[in-house]
Amino acid sequence: MKVIIMTDLEGISGVDTMDMVSEVGTEGHQFALERLMADVNAAVEGAFEGGATEVYVEDGHGGGKNFIKEILHPKAVQTDSAGWNELIRSGQIDAYMEVGAHSMPGSINGFLDHVQSSKAWYNYIVNGRKCGEIAQGAIFAGAFDVPFIMVTGDQAACTEARMFLGDIPCAAVKRGVGRNKAVSMDLDAALVEIKKAAYEGMKCIGSVKPYKPLMPMEIILELYRSDMCDAIMTRCKDVERMDARSVRKIVTKVEYYKDVLFT
């Protein structure tokens, strides 16, 4: 069985302040990257112990450049944006996981809650339901019948994952205190929980159904300012402007991850 693990940085164990994510080059940011690798490696171990034959990992935060490659699990295969899209599209992948997930905008005590851009994207709504990046991954994977089987992140992200995906294994490695701070669990215990969730996720293959919203799918994006809406309209095709700060598109078929975005 082949698995893809998508990663983000906000939901990584031990990452408990905004500076650790945003202040590149600082001691805190370096610690966050080291914890990213620890969390990923724990998930990789759990996936292999759960029956995976190949595990692909994607550095999904801020365009990549977060992995410390020399300490990535030696059996994991790192892919890139085009690569993970094609692996799923070609039918090679049996399951999808996310490590380091964060919650959607507006989540109470969601550590660094946002969707895509915390500076521009206010709400992302699919078929009338507010969503975040967890749902985006689920929609893309589900379009190719790939089940979303495990999430690690803060407590709000794990709650959100179960709201959309059902009672899948999750590892809540911290809880948000407001938006910009978190309280982390013991770091060694977090790795145990992540490994366990990945292992249990593998056992869910076959019982967890792929996430498939009704099609055609309406996606509405609400932005913070009208000039941000102007920019979306300039660069995006097949997008309808709804009002000063909102755009809308109809997706009849999801073929690439970008189909659920506004790029």
Side-chain angles (χ1 to χ4, degrees):
M1 289 184 287
K2 299 181 180 180
V3 180
I4 278 183
I5 300 175
M6 175 61 65
T7 71
D8 214 338
L9 193 57
E10 289 87 354
I12 294 300
S13 65
V15 178
D16 54 16
T17 66
M18 183 164 26
D19 289 352
M20 295 175 74
V21 175
S22 61
E23 298 300 317
V24 177
T26 63
E27 184 176 333
H29 186 258
Q30 180 61 29
F31 176 79
L33 300 187
E34 292 170 3
R35 289 308 303 177
L36 167 64
M37 303 317 299
D39 285 13
V40 170
N41 288 346
V44 171
E45 284 284 351
F48 277 121
E49 290 187 12
T53 55
E54 292 182 42
V55 178
Y56 297 90
V57 293
E58 163 67 359
D59 182 355
H61 177 76
K65 299 181 181 179
N66 303 287
F67 278 9
I68 306 172
K69 295 182 180 181
E70 58 268 26
I71 58 175
L72 177 64
H73 193 291
K75 292 175 68 177
V77 178
Q78 185 176 357
T79 185
D80 57 18
S81 180
W84 84 271
N85 266 251
E86 193 53 37
L87 283 165
I88 288 180
R89 281 169 40 78
S90 62
Q92 298 181 58
I93 297 301
D94 298 292
Y96 176 87
M97 302 181 180
E98 287 193 5
V99 168
H102 57 79
S103 60
M104 72 176 82
S107 302
I108 296 176
N109 290 324
F111 180 64
L112 302 182
D113 62 319
H114 68 280
V115 57
Q116 256 67 49
S117 170
S118 59
K119 295 180 179 179
W121 290 30
Y122 182 70
N123 277 319
Y124 173 88
I125 303 163
V126 178
N127 290 346
R129 185 180 187 184
K130 290 183 181 180
C131 297
E133 293 174 26
I134 291 171
Q136 289 174 346
I139 291 168
F140 176 62
F144 297 91
D145 296 317
V146 176
F148 193 151
I149 59 169
M150 189 277 281
V151 167
T152 81
D154 72 327
Q155 204 167 65
C158 292
T159 298
E160 181 178 320
R162 287 177 169 145
M163 285 170 53
F164 282 86
L165 306 170
D167 192 23
I168 64 169
C170 293
V173 299
K174 59 192 174 189
R175 60 179 176 83
V177 181
R179 181 183 188 272
N180 297 330
K181 292 183 181 180
V183 175
S184 293
M185 70 185 303
D186 176 82
L187 297 183
D188 291 335
L191 300 184
V192 172
E193 290 299 311
I194 292 168
K195 182 177 177 179
K196 177 183 176 183
Y199 175 87
E200 292 178 347
M202 293 299 300
K203 301 306 179 183
C204 293
I205 297 175
S207 61
V208 173
K209 295 181 179 179
Y211 184 74
K212 291 179 176 287
L214 290 174
M215 304 293 279
M217 183 171 62
E218 177 192 64
I219 306 178
I220 294 173
L221 175 61
E222 297 176 350
L223 297 117
Y224 282 98
R225 300 197 314 257
S226 60
D227 58 338
M228 296 171 177
C229 199
D230 295 339
I232 293 280
M233 293 301 298
T234 298
R235 72 171 184 265
C236 295
K237 298 179 180 179
D238 302 321
V239 172
E240 171 191 358
R241 188 154 192 168
M242 299 182 67
D243 55 37
R245 296 190 296 111
S246 302
V247 294
R248 170 181 180 266
K249 72 175 182 177
I250 301 297
V251 179
T252 56
K253 184 179 181 181
V254 175
E255 298 187 73
Y256 297 92
Y257 188 70
K258 67 180 182 180
D259 292 334
V260 303
L261 303 178
F262 288 81
T263 57

